[in-house]
Amino acid sequence: MGVRGLQTYIERDCPDACKSVSVKEIADKHRHFYNCDPVLVVDGMSMINRLYQNANLEWIYGGQWLQFVKVLEEFISRFKNIGVSLVFFFDGTISAEKRDEWVRRRVSKYETIASIFQEIKCTLREPDRQSFQLPTAMGTLTRFATKELGAEVVQTDKDADEAIADYANNHREVCGILSQDSDFIIYNTKTYLSLMHLDLQSLRTIHYDRDCFANRYLKLSVSQLPLFACLNGNDYVPSEKLRSFHQQVSKNGRIYLAAMAENMAEVIRAKGWTGDPNNLPELERISLTLFGHPGSATTIQNGLKSYVIGINLPVPNVRIQVSPEFQRTVYDHHLKCLNTFIFNLMCKLEYESSEPLEDHKSDLPPSALVYRQIRQRVYGVIFNQYYHNPSEYTFRENERISIKEWCAYYGNYMVHPEYIKPLPLKFWDGPIPSIEDVWFKLPEEKKMKVFWSILHISMEFEVLNKIPKPFVVLACILHYLILGLKQRPLLEAWEVAVFVAQALMKKTPSELERLMAPIVDAKAVSLSTLFMRGVTTILLVHGACASPFPLTYAMPWHFFDGKLFHHLYIKAKHPITVYELCSGQESTIKEFYELLSVITRNTAYDFRKMDWRNIFSDFTY
């Protein structure tokens, strides 16, 4: 997240602390001096924004997944060609201290997203790039794409910036940090290189020189930069609570860093503050100056401690009684990014999802609510031994089990989390296995049976088990959405057909790049989001069931492209034939009938119940 306005201030007002550098030259010097192959640590989330926007990939349609994977592969290759390895770090958890800021940022996007849909409905065109939002699930799925491409990926057990700074300081081969998080100006760690300013051809970028910035421009030591960050406001010390102090130190009465920086640094020097997080009397004096009372010393202390490198925080324990081997496995799978969500569920009883690009004025319910019952059955599998007997519905701390869901959707302002109870499995014969047994004892077919039971779909297990693996996720999501939430299908029959047709069309990245959707349809945008939320939900189920099929088949570049879906959706809004929908490809038409018949089995759209010739005049059974 970082220190608001810091990078802009350095770039505009501190030119000598903002230097153009060659990544190759930095790497070559590091290789010569340390006699090792240089490594760059990459802030994964910052990288996604940089690559997706730099490649000018369409963002409104739900994700250009195949194109993005190609861009990511080229990014990794560029550094490999100059002898630099990359280690990617992704946030694996949000600390309790940062939760308020995380919520604030999520909620602040609600009106932005509402205005995006209003613009789409008025213009039927893609909004300006200034409205850019990363496609749904991009952060989650990129870490798996990066692993598939052979790069090293670390999913952190603490905030990613702290983990990156730790890793960089503890590994001599690391020559720099590639990010766009201003906290890396504050950390006393390796060279901080800008992702935003990175030229992917020349591999030149900006180096933010923290020593020059502190010593020359602020006349502070580098060790005082954390205090400077806290006085400005960061993820731990909210800037809203500093408004009175900021008005006092502002040169022109306006609250932005350039107007306050020199005076804030002067206050630190004049008061003789060191910024030592263990000096409680000093922290109380700082609190008195900032807030008018000494009672917020802990807030400042947390802010300062967040920049201390090398603190070995205890690893959270799994919150149910399991073997030490299972504890280690959960932790190991998390760090190595073999699954996502499971660590936070088992160790913190938390689940979170960011704000999705969905139209709150449409007749579709929020995607977070659409898939909630699936999540509840996942919780049921993880914590199953605690709900069979109400008297045993407790665990170590004598609390009733409920999961704190932090799901961002319009109308949910997350003042508090939603407390969600586990649900039992109904489609299961005999006693439900413990989560340890699922991971360590069940054969693959039994794991798949648990997977099917969690989804609670009406498709027979034998049918699901025979679906070609690249289409299992697609089939499960579409079948679930046809069943709906006990009221009606959430997809119309022709919309299901469009999802199926686009999955079967094997387009190359260059073909997808040339493809143009004639207009932007607000409903299609929301449907893409709904579908992609289904993909992340399936990933949660897949992780809970210890990978009943290879993880790669859950990746959307095997079965979904946002622009291709949108293109076919606009085409199919007017009566067309199956032949036209499948671009006249006989092999695609054959697969279309086979896959559609499986997906609609035992639903309102089953070939045996509904006459599809009312939708496609050339439809044959």
Side-chain angles (χ1 to χ4, degrees):
M1 296 179 182
V3 182
R4 187 182 302 173
L6 182 54
Q7 279 165 175
T8 301
Y9 170 59
I10 292 179
E11 290 172 16
R12 291 180 180 175
D13 297 280
C14 312
D16 290 339
C18 190
K19 304 169 182 176
S20 176
V21 295
S22 161
V23 175
K24 185 178 186 304
E25 289 176 8
I26 289 174
D28 288 344
K29 288 178 183 177
H30 195 88
R31 183 185 293 108
H32 177 75
F33 187 82
Y34 288 99
N35 192 30
C36 63
D37 293 330
V39 169
L40 270 178
V41 182
V42 182
D43 179 346
M45 286 307 299
S46 293
M47 176 207 64
I48 297 171
N49 274 285
R50 174 71 175 87
L51 292 189
Y52 205 94
Q53 293 203 65
N54 187 68
N56 285 318
L57 298 177
E58 290 87 354
W59 56 275
I60 197 68
Y61 301 122
Q64 298 310 111
W65 298 100
L66 198 61
Q67 291 173 262
F68 179 73
V69 171
K70 181 185 177 184
V71 170
L72 181 58
E73 184 177 23
E74 291 171 351
F75 176 79
I76 295 170
S77 179
R78 289 290 300 150
F79 289 94
K80 185 177 180 180
N81 291 341
I82 63 168
V84 174
S85 298
L86 303 178
V87 178
F88 295 82
F89 275 71
F90 289 89
D91 263 323
T93 189
I94 300 294
S95 67
E97 292 83 4
K98 281 193 175 184
R99 181 59 71 186
D100 286 349
E101 180 64 14
W102 183 91
V103 167
R104 187 192 67 78
R105 295 191 184 202
R106 303 286 76 76
V107 171
S108 70
K109 294 285 187 69
Y110 291 172
E111 293 305 324
T112 301
I113 291 171
S115 67
I116 287 172
F117 278 98
Q118 182 62 34
E119 183 177 349
I120 290 172
K121 292 171 185 177
C122 290
T123 67
L124 302 181
R125 291 162 56 182
E126 185 174 339
D128 188 271
R129 297 293 289 191
Q130 290 182 340
S131 301
F132 176 81
Q133 308 282 318
L134 273 178
T136 298
M138 183 62 71
T140 298
L141 292 162
T142 298
R143 60 197 73 191
F144 295 117
T146 308
K147 278 180 69 71
E148 279 197 7
L149 292 170
E152 184 177 349
V153 177
V154 178
Q155 189 172 242
T156 68
D157 61 342
K158 54 186 173 183
D159 294 321
D161 46 6
E162 296 175 42
I164 289 171
D166 265 355
Y167 184 93
N169 273 22
N170 291 329
H171 291 77
R172 62 194 293 270
E173 65 270 21
V174 174
C175 63
I177 295 169
L178 198 55
S179 178
Q180 203 58 42
D181 187 329
S182 54
D183 275 337
F184 292 115
I185 298 171
I186 307 300
Y187 283 110
N188 191 7
T189 184
K190 299 284 179 69
T191 302
Y192 169 32
L193 304 171
S194 169
L195 259 168
M196 184 175 70
H197 295 287
L198 177 66
D199 184 309
L200 292 173
Q201 297 305 312
S202 66
L203 292 185
R204 294 192 67 85
T205 188
I206 295 297
H207 165 217
Y208 298 103
D209 187 334
R210 69 180 64 85
D211 291 282
C212 177
F213 172 61
N215 299 331
R216 177 169 177 179
Y217 290 100
L218 298 182
K219 297 179 176 56
L220 299 174
S221 67
V222 170
S223 65
Q224 290 172 300
L225 285 179
L227 180 57
F228 177 81
C230 290
L231 264 61
N232 179 67
N234 59 13
D235 299 335
Y236 293 85
V237 185
S239 56
E240 293 81 7
K241 295 183 178 180
L242 293 163
R243 183 171 297 275
S244 177
F245 171 71
H246 286 167
Q247 288 172 339
Q248 294 174 36
V249 297
S250 175
K251 289 181 178 179
N252 56 18
R254 296 174 61 194
I255 298 175
Y256 60 98
L257 187 53
M260 304 185 299
E262 291 182 14
N263 287 346
M264 281 198 298
E266 172 58 32
V267 169
I268 293 171
R269 292 194 303 271
K271 301 281 189 179
W273 292 336
T274 64
D276 179 357
N278 297 313
N279 187 339
L280 186 57
E282 179 180 274
L283 297 180
E284 289 175 344
R285 291 194 296 273
I286 295 172
S287 175
L288 185 62
T289 300
L290 299 186
F291 308 112
H293 59 82
S296 294
T298 302
T299 299
I300 299 163
Q301 185 180 50
N302 289 335
L304 293 171
K305 281 185 174 180
S306 71
Y307 296 110
V308 177
I309 298 174
I311 295 178
N312 293 317
L313 298 174
V315 177
N317 289 318
V318 172
R319 299 284 290 273
I320 54 177
Q321 295 289 353
V322 293
S323 68
E325 180 188 6
F326 186 76
Q327 286 258 24
R328 288 191 298 270
T329 302
V330 170
Y331 188 57
D332 186 59
H333 280 202
H334 180 79
L335 291 182
K336 292 180 179 177
C337 196
L338 297 175
N339 60 43
T340 187
F341 307 117
I342 302 300
F343 175 83
N344 285 325
L345 278 174
M346 290 189 177
C347 300
K348 301 173 69 175
L349 299 181
E350 284 190 339
Y351 175 88
E352 67 192 34
S353 60
S354 296
E355 68 290 346
L357 192 63
E358 57 191 15
D359 182 10
H360 75 277
K361 292 184 178 180
S362 78
D363 58 355
L364 291 169
S367 55
L369 303 184
V370 169
Y371 297 107
R372 175 165 281 169
Q373 287 192 5
I374 294 179
R375 296 196 301 272
Q376 287 179 276
R377 286 188 285 273
V378 168
Y379 309 155
V381 169
I382 292 174
F383 303 109
N384 76 78
Q385 59 265 55
Y386 296 99
Y387 62 70
H388 286 309
N389 184 341
S391 66
E392 295 177 4
Y393 199 180
T394 56
F395 63 110
R396 287 181 184 174
E397 297 171 9
N398 218 26
E399 302 169 310
R400 289 183 65 82
I401 288 184
S402 58
I403 305 302
K404 291 184 288 186
E405 287 199 345
W406 301 94
C407 294
Y409 56 88
Y410 197 94
N412 180 21
Y413 293 95
M414 296 184 286
V415 177
H416 304 289
E418 296 173 277
Y419 289 91
I420 307 301
K421 298 296 184 185
L423 284 177
L425 302 186
K426 293 182 179 178
F427 293 180
W428 188 266
D429 297 325
I432 298 173
S434 71
I435 187 65
E436 245 184 296
D437 286 346
V438 172
W439 282 37
F440 291 156
K441 294 182 181 180
L442 293 190
E444 187 172 283
E445 185 170 339
K446 284 287 189 181
K447 290 179 182 178
M448 195 68 183
K449 193 74 175 283
V450 178
F451 176 88
W452 171 77
S453 299
I454 290 173
L455 295 179
H456 201 70
I457 53 180
S458 59
M459 184 192 304
E460 296 91 341
F461 175 69
E462 293 72 22
V463 173
L464 173 64
N465 220 19
K466 291 178 181 177
I467 296 174
K469 289 297 186 285
F471 300 123
V472 166
V473 172
L474 173 91
C476 289
I477 296 170
L478 296 182
H479 186 93
Y480 180 82
L481 294 177
I482 296 171
L483 295 177
L485 299 177
K486 297 182 180 179
Q487 294 97 6
R488 59 177 176 80
L490 295 176
L491 299 177
E492 295 185 43
W494 69 270
E495 292 171 336
V496 176
V498 171
F499 273 112
V500 173
Q502 65 83 34
L504 296 170
M505 290 185 183
K506 301 305 176 188
K507 300 284 189 181
T508 65
S510 57
E511 287 174 322
L512 291 169
E513 184 178 357
R514 292 192 298 270
L515 185 69
M516 297 296 292
I519 63 171
V520 178
D521 185 282
K523 174 76 177 296
V525 172
S526 284
L527 286 179
S528 291
T529 296
L530 181 63
F531 180 82
M532 285 308 305
R533 277 286 189 239
V535 173
T536 56
T537 302
I538 296 291
L539 281 174
L540 168 64
V541 180
H542 186 272
C545 299
S547 303
F549 55 87
L551 182 61
T552 184
Y553 294 126
M555 298 298 112
W557 42 94
H558 291 296
F559 52 79
F560 180 73
D561 179 85
K563 189 163 57 168
L564 178 57
F565 169 75
H566 213 94
H567 175 80
L568 293 180
Y569 187 92
I570 300 302
K571 192 175 179 181
K573 285 186 79 171
H574 309 286
I576 63 170
T577 63
V578 170
Y579 184 85
E580 291 170 317
L581 183 64
C582 297
S583 300
Q585 299 295 319
E586 290 300 329
S587 60
T588 302
I589 293 171
K590 181 176 183 295
E591 289 181 296
F592 172 82
Y593 281 117
E594 292 173 351
L595 189 53
L596 186 64
S597 69
V598 170
I599 289 171
T600 59
R601 189 177 178 89
N602 299 330
T603 73
Y605 301 152
D606 194 318
F607 291 4
R608 298 166 296 183
K609 299 178 181 178
M610 191 187 92
D611 190 347
W612 276 79
R613 286 170 296 191
N614 294 328
I615 299 171
F616 300 107
S617 60
D618 64 338
F619 197 93
T620 57
Y621 293 98

